[in-house]
Amino acid sequence: MDETMNTGLIVEFLLTTVSVLAVIALISILTPWMAKQVDKWIARYRGNHSPDKDSVYTVRSIYDIPPEEKEAAQKAEMAQDSEKE
C-alpha cells in the first residue's frame, strides 16, 4: 500500500497550490486600486498639496515617462523647433 498514491493528499496539495496562486492574483489585482485610495487619502491630509503637483503624485504605470523627463523632452523639442525657424 505504500507504493500507491493517496488521492486525498494529491487533492489537498492541489487545493493549497490553487489557493496560494489565487491570493497572489488577488493581491496583484488590488494593489493599483489600493494605491489610488492611499493617494486620495494622502492628498486630503497634505497641507502643501496643489493641483500643479498632481502629475507628480499620481499613480503611474511602469511604462509611463516620469513628468520630469517628459517636460525636458518637450523643452528640447521646442528648442529644436525654434532653431529651425
Side-chain angles (χ1 to χ4, degrees):
M1 292 302 277
D2 291 335
E3 297 173 359
T4 61
M5 291 197 147
N6 187 355
T7 318
L9 185 62
I10 294 173
V11 170
E12 181 183 350
F13 178 74
L14 177 67
L15 290 176
T16 304
T17 304
V18 168
S19 63
V20 167
L21 291 175
V23 167
I24 291 171
L26 185 64
I27 289 172
S28 67
I29 290 171
L30 290 179
T31 299
W33 177 81
M34 290 187 302
K36 287 180 185 178
Q37 298 304 317
V38 168
D39 282 346
K40 286 180 186 177
W41 182 77
I42 288 172
R44 272 188 285 169
Y45 295 102
R46 185 182 304 129
N48 62 352
H49 177 72
S50 68
D52 298 334
K53 295 182 180 179
D54 280 343
S55 64
V56 176
Y57 293 112
T58 58
V59 177
R60 292 185 302 273
S61 168
I62 60 172
Y63 303 108
D64 290 341
I65 299 174
E68 301 85 21
E69 292 180 18
K70 197 174 194 178
E71 287 178 16
Q74 288 174 345
K75 287 180 182 177
E77 186 177 318
M78 291 174 68
Q80 286 179 350
D81 289 344
S82 64
E83 288 176 6
K84 288 181 183 179
E85 293 177 357

